Amino acid sequence: MALLADPDAPTEIAQRMAQILPTRLADKWGHGRRFDVEVVSEPFTAGTEDLPTLMRRIMDRGSAQNWDIVVALTDLPLHSHGRRLVVDLSHEHGLALLSLPPLGGLRLQTRARRAVEEAVLSLAGPWATGAEGPQSQPLLGPFVSRLAPIHPGQVGEEETADLRYVVSGPRGYLRVLVGMVRANRPWRLVPGLSKALAAALATGAVATVNSTIWNLAESLSAPRLVIAAVGSVALMIGWLIVDAQLWHRSTEVSPEARQRARLYNASTVLTVGIGVLVCYVGLIVINLVWALFILNGQVFASTTGTPLDAAEYWTLSWFVASVATVGGALGSGLESDEAIRAAAYSKREQERRHMLQDDDGDQLVN
């Protein structure tokens, strides 16, 4: 069998899964059956999110390699009749298509492995068609969650799939969105903000020893400090999205295309927001350490009329972090940073299209 995975997160999940999957499948199946698992990383979803088209691509790929079972993993949020797809199965052709975002953001590796195990066991087992239609062992076990109820979805008569599970409703939407943010891997965004951080640190170092900043920090109330913090973080998020051209604009007018664009943009904003918040907290800590090292209590008190105590250190560090964040946003140029662009599904989709075109071009040359 083969695990056909989109590049990036799906491939990493598939590779880790393949190390233990043969043993677990053999133990669950019994009767001495052996499962050989091969991982193939390629952008099989590039250029389309149409389920019948994707299933045909998987079927063609499996036929070309003579794979008995093919399980395809993607980090794209796929849709079917207004519902968000979890898994598509074709028992006749031994195919399964698993969309990772509906599995959520927590314990993704474990949930994905259990889903693949159930899909493979279902595809490898007997498939009977009774008077009431196809029957198989239910796949709900690995997917059931109070946050995102999963239920069978509608399958068209002309489709390759014969069994489908989807999520729907606000809870399902939230689960998919969290899964998309998890697939974006926001922790990888922080190193990509190195230029902005360098500008912010320089701004913060200068601002910390500026007497005007001392007086401003002393004069600001807590609500104003909160407004300054929220405004600076929002400015940084907006600047990164605009500068790196992360905002997704769909050229299609269908409801599903608009829904997909909203999901893409919401996940991008959340991913960038998490990265910026981590950097903002880091700036507060660094500014606090710098202030503790550099500031003189007598000079500060003579300038502001307030003793330099713990509360003043905290207020100053907090305000300087907001000022530095604005300076970091305005002083950075990130249009060439791949770590930033990886935070957007639309950018990864463009990269996968280029990869697919390059592969097709190589095949034509050969």
Side-chain angles (χ1 to χ4, degrees):
M1 62 162 288
L3 295 177
L4 181 65
D6 266 333
D8 303 314
T11 295
E12 295 177 7
I13 290 173
Q15 289 174 342
R16 290 194 293 267
M17 187 187 305
Q19 298 176 6
I20 61 174
L21 196 57
T23 301
R24 291 184 60 88
L25 288 173
D27 292 342
K28 287 191 173 184
W29 184 272
H31 308 294
R33 179 162 182 175
R34 176 183 173 185
F35 291 85
D36 295 319
V37 179
E38 176 183 355
V39 177
V40 178
S41 177
E42 63 180 49
F44 71 92
T45 59
T48 184
E49 295 180 16
D50 179 62
L51 290 179
T53 301
L54 291 178
M55 291 296 283
R56 284 194 297 270
R57 284 185 179 181
I58 300 169
M59 182 172 60
D60 293 341
R61 193 70 173 86
S63 299
Q65 298 294 328
N66 293 320
W67 291 322
D68 295 330
I69 295 175
V70 184
V71 179
L73 285 75
T74 182
D75 54 2
L76 286 180
L78 301 174
H79 296 80
S80 170
H81 303 283
R83 303 290 189 268
R84 295 157 191 89
L85 177 78
V86 180
V87 62
D88 249 4
L89 293 102
S90 172
H91 291 79
E92 179 182 357
H93 301 96
L95 310 176
L97 171 61
L98 176 65
S99 178
L100 296 175
L103 300 182
L106 300 176
R107 301 176 63 244
L108 179 58
Q109 182 70 42
T110 300
R111 289 175 175 173
R113 174 180 53 76
R114 290 177 178 175
V116 170
E117 289 175 2
E118 292 296 324
V120 171
L121 293 174
S122 178
L123 294 174
W127 176 256
T129 301
E132 299 180 355
Q135 300 174 350
S136 178
Q137 295 180 350
L139 293 172
L140 289 178
F143 305 119
V144 166
S145 169
R146 292 179 298 173
L147 297 179
I150 293 176
H151 52 84
Q154 179 182 352
V155 181
E157 295 181 358
E158 304 299 326
E159 294 190 57
T160 305
D162 48 42
L163 185 61
R164 172 174 295 157
Y165 284 97
V166 298
V167 295
S168 59
R171 290 181 296 174
Y173 181 91
L174 179 61
R175 184 72 173 272
V176 172
L177 182 58
V178 172
M180 291 176 68
V181 174
R182 168 63 173 78
N184 282 339
R185 295 173 291 185
W187 56 88
R188 296 181 58 179
L189 185 64
V190 176
L193 295 173
S194 57
K195 296 179 183 178
L197 279 174
L201 288 172
T203 303
V206 174
T208 302
V209 297
N210 189 299
S211 59
T212 303
I213 297 294
W214 299 350
N215 289 314
L216 280 174
E218 285 303 307
S219 65
L220 292 176
S221 61
R224 288 179 177 269
L225 287 170
V226 172
I227 292 173
V230 173
S232 62
V233 170
L235 177 62
M236 177 67 114
I237 293 172
W239 172 250
L240 292 176
I241 291 175
V242 172
D243 187 57
Q245 301 177 3
L246 300 183
W247 196 257
H248 178 71
R249 292 181 175 85
S250 176
T251 57
E252 304 177 30
V253 296
S254 66
E256 286 194 354
R258 291 196 297 268
Q259 185 183 62
R260 181 167 61 247
R262 287 194 295 268
L263 268 173
Y264 280 9
N265 291 327
S267 67
T268 297
V269 170
L270 287 175
T271 302
V272 176
I274 291 172
V276 171
L277 284 174
V278 170
C279 293
Y280 185 83
V281 173
L283 283 174
I284 292 177
V285 174
I286 293 173
N287 290 333
L288 180 59
V289 173
W290 173 242
L292 289 169
F293 175 75
I294 201 69
L295 292 184
N296 181 280
Q298 293 181 348
V299 175
F300 186 91
S302 64
T303 302
T304 64
T306 304
L308 184 59
D309 54 20
E312 307 307 322
Y313 274 116
W314 163 252
T315 300
L316 179 63
S317 301
W318 185 9
F319 180 61
V320 168
S322 300
V323 174
T325 299
V326 175
L330 299 180
S332 63
L334 301 170
E335 61 274 353
S336 62
D337 199 313
E338 295 301 325
I340 301 298
R341 295 219 286 252
Y345 270 79
S346 57
K347 295 299 178 183
R348 292 210 298 275
E349 176 68 8
Q350 291 176 10
E351 293 175 359
R352 290 170 184 177
R353 291 187 186 187
H354 292 320
M355 292 172 60
L356 194 61
Q357 291 172 357
D358 293 342
D359 291 342
D360 293 341
D362 294 340
Q363 291 176 4
L364 290 175
V365 171
N366 295 332

